[in-house]
């Protein structure tokens, strides 16, 4: 990951800095799948105490990038194609239900926010930023509140999938522009209140992303 001395970290706490750098290193492949993550070594490398490293590892575990092994400690999560396929199969099965609930319920402010997120995705060159914006875009069309089990399930699946989305975009950069166009089409369907189109576009969007991940895996890029 390189030594951080001399590296600027404006407006970031020690925890935020370590989290950002480690997430980027994992998604960039600088920390490959299965790499052991020793807290003391990371703290020394980043010139911070153990606490922000521990907090960053906990956050990365929540994002699905890191796993805890009681015997071996923390390590970078290994790519599991079967898991990815299952995540997307469940999402494609449940998303039509969410669309049917939300068509006509998403207010103008959330639709406008979705449009702003699309513009930001089109402008950014940072895959990590794009992945976060992508997650926020799809959340615009989800139910809010802790009372919705469907929203909770889909939110967890989106978070798990975001890891693989970032990896696949690095393997197939051309997918970004295609995905941005699909986002615009989904938004337009919601603005029209077209349940059939929004459902078809949302499911196709996920299916195409899964195919991109599968093809990258076949080429040995994941």
């Amino acid at each position: 990951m390189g030594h951080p001395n001399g590296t600027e970290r404006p407006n970031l706490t020690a925890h935020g800095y370590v989290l950002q750098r480690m997430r980027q290193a994992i998604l960039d492949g600088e920390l490959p799948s299965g790499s052991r993550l020793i807290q003391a070594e990371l703290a020394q490398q980043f010139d911070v105490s153990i606490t922000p490293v521990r907090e960053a590892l906990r956050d990365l575990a929540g994002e699905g990038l890191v796993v805890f092994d009681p015997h071996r400690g923390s390590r970078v999560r290994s790519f599991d194609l079967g898991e990815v396929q299952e995540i997307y199969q469940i999402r494609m099965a449940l998303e039509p239900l969410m669309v049917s609930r939300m068509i006509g319920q998403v207010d103008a402010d959330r639709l406008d926010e979705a449009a702003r997120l699309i513009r930001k995705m089109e402008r950014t060159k940072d895959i990590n930023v794009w992945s976060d914006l992508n997650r926020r875009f799809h959340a615009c069309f989800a139910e809010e509140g802790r009372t919705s089990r469907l929203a909770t399930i889909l939110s967890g699946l989106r978070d798990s999938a975001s890891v693989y989305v970032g990896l696949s975009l690095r393997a197939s950069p051309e997918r970004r522009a295609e995905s941005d166009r699909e986002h615009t089409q989904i938004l337009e369907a919601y603005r029209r209140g077209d349940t059939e189109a929004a459902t078809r576009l949302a499911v196709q969007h996920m299916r195409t992303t899964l195919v991109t991940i599968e093809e990258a895996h076949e080429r040995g890029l994941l």
Side-chain angles (χ1 to χ4, degrees):
M1 287 181 288
H3 199 282
N5 287 348
T7 300
E8 294 183 5
R9 36 174 151 168
N11 303 320
L12 286 177
T13 62
H15 162 235
Y17 173 69
V18 174
L19 177 61
Q20 181 186 80
R21 286 287 291 111
M22 289 192 63
R23 182 191 291 120
Q24 182 176 354
I26 293 170
L27 293 176
D28 285 345
E30 198 175 341
L31 280 172
S33 296
S35 298
R36 290 188 64 198
L37 302 170
I38 301 172
Q39 293 184 16
E41 292 181 0
L42 292 167
Q44 182 178 18
Q45 181 174 358
F46 288 114
D47 194 23
V48 297
S49 67
I50 289 287
T51 300
V53 172
R54 184 183 301 119
E55 292 173 346
L57 289 173
R58 187 182 302 120
D59 290 342
L60 291 168
E63 295 176 17
L65 289 172
V66 167
V67 293
F68 289 109
D69 186 312
H71 303 293
R72 300 178 58 193
S74 303
R75 60 180 175 81
V76 178
R77 186 170 196 154
S78 299
F79 179 82
D80 186 332
L81 182 60
E83 180 185 42
V84 181
Q85 291 169 330
E86 184 178 31
I87 288 171
Y88 275 91
Q89 287 164 0
I90 297 172
R91 288 183 69 195
M92 287 187 284
L94 294 180
E95 191 67 27
L97 178 57
M98 180 61 79
V99 173
S100 68
R101 287 186 182 184
M102 296 305 296
I103 281 285
Q105 302 300 314
V106 183
D107 61 28
D109 288 343
R110 291 178 76 181
L111 293 173
D112 290 343
E113 173 63 13
R116 284 192 290 271
L117 291 168
I118 290 174
R119 291 194 293 272
K120 289 180 179 180
M121 279 187 277
E122 291 172 339
R123 290 195 299 266
T124 187
K125 298 183 183 301
D126 188 316
I127 295 296
N128 295 326
V129 171
W130 190 96
S131 295
D132 180 60
L133 293 169
N134 176 64
R135 187 166 57 244
R136 289 165 56 192
F137 169 81
H138 288 289
C140 287
F141 307 105
E143 290 176 307
E144 294 182 296
R146 297 182 179 179
T147 56
S148 171
R149 291 196 178 190
L150 178 62
T152 300
I153 292 168
L154 284 172
S155 176
L157 291 169
R158 277 197 307 272
D159 288 345
S160 297
S162 67
V163 176
Y164 302 113
V165 170
L167 292 171
S168 70
L169 289 176
R170 283 177 171 77
S172 303
E174 68 281 358
R175 172 62 185 149
R176 273 190 56 182
E178 183 181 12
S179 190
D180 288 337
R181 289 192 294 271
E182 292 168 0
H183 288 152
T184 299
Q185 293 171 344
I186 291 170
L187 174 58
E188 290 173 349
Y190 269 90
R191 287 197 187 279
R192 296 194 308 270
D194 189 335
T195 304
E196 182 180 353
T199 300
R200 173 175 49 79
L201 290 165
V203 172
Q204 182 59 45
H205 179 62
M206 288 182 281
R207 183 175 292 114
T208 303
T209 301
L210 175 58
V211 169
T212 302
I213 295 170
E214 290 172 333
E215 290 177 347
H217 180 66
E218 288 177 4
R219 301 202 308 268
L221 299 176
L222 292 178

